């Protein structure tokens, strides 16, 4: 791309001239271009996105893209402002589509993972049967084994608290608890 003859330093530059300078890495030209078009870019994006925070983020992305791709601007194909506004509109639409896709995915996952209440008679009956087996097996344990299970599982005490309540050393309580779980498992399995 060839550059037009540079106007005198005090003459106002067109947006197209500014973009040509931005393509060469001129920070001052970018600042002037930004000041000229920022309001229109932000306004367009905000009309599409509505959310001010997202609009600011997309506006920042657009100006970063302008800085990085200014060399791709072709003044024979249109005005610099139109080029920047088209870029802004595309970015805003992409954000809307991305947000919609994310909501659709969340909804799909939510529907897939939703388990409605089901009248599960078989499951309830199985749970009741299992409770009966456990109760019957608990009755077959020694008093020490039953006490260890009741203190830790039914009353929710820690091993240390259960040992204090039972008046035995902590190691003894842990051994009783382990032995009672093994015995309970065997009794429940055999009852099934």
């Amino acid at each position: 791309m060839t550059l037009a003859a540079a106007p005198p330093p005090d003459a106002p530059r067109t947006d197209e001239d500014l973009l040509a300078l931005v393509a060469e890495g001129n920070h001052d030209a970018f600042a002037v271009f930004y000041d000229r078009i920022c309001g229109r870019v932000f306004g367009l994006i905000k009309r599409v996105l509505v959310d001010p925070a997202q609009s600011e983020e997309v506006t920042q992305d657009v100006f970063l893209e302008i800085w990085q791709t200014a060399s791709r601007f072709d003044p024979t194909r249109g005005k610099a402002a139109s080029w920047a506004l088209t870029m802004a509109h595309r970015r805003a639409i992409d954000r809307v589509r991305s947000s919609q896709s994310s909501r659709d995915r969340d909804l799909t996952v939510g529907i897939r993972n939703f388990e409605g209440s089901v009248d599960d008679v078989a499951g309830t009956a199985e749970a009741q049967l299992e409770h009966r087996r456990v109760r019957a097996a608990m009755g077959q344990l020694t008093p020490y084994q039953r006490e260890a299970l009741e203190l830790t599982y039914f009353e929710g005490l820690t091993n240390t608290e259960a040992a204090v309540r039972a008046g035995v050393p902590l190691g003894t309580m842990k051994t009783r608890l382990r032995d009672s779980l093994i015995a309970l498992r065997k009794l429940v399995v055999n009852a099934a």
Side-chain angles (χ1 to χ4, degrees), residues 89-161:
H89 187 257
R90 286 182 182 152
R91 282 278 180 143
I93 296 297
D94 287 347
R95 178 63 64 97
V96 168
R97 288 179 180 153
S98 174
S99 295
Q100 184 62 45
S101 293
S102 178
R103 281 191 299 274
D104 291 346
R105 273 192 308 277
D106 290 346
L107 181 61
T108 302
V109 169
I111 289 171
R112 185 179 59 224
N113 292 340
F114 176 74
E115 293 179 15
S117 63
V118 177
D119 185 19
D120 188 11
V121 175
T124 304
E126 181 67 30
Q128 289 176 350
L129 184 60
E130 189 69 25
H131 288 298
R132 283 190 204 122
R133 281 190 215 131
V134 171
R135 253 188 257 120
M138 287 286 290
Q140 296 177 31
L141 295 176
T142 68
Y144 293 125
Q145 292 172 331
R146 190 172 30 260
E147 178 187 39
L149 287 174
E150 288 173 351
L151 291 173
T152 55
Y153 286 97
F154 298 125
E155 292 186 31
L157 299 177
T158 64
N159 290 343
T160 304
E161 293 168 338

Side-chain angles (χ1 to χ4, degrees), residues 159-160 162-177:
N159 290 343
T160 304
V164 169
R165 177 89 65 86
V168 297
L170 177 61
T172 302
M173 178 54 69
K174 288 181 178 180
T175 301
R176 286 181 183 175
L177 186 59

Side-chain angles (χ1 to χ4, degrees), residues 24 26 30 34 39-40 43-44 57 69 75 104-105 111 124-125 128 131 158 160 162 170 179 184 189:
E24 296 171 1
N26 188 315
F30 182 75
Y34 176 88
R40 290 188 283 171
L44 172 66
E57 187 178 318
T69 63
D104 291 346
R105 273 192 308 277
I111 289 171
T124 304
Q128 289 176 350
H131 288 298
T158 64
T160 304
L170 177 61
D179 291 345
L184 183 65
V189 168

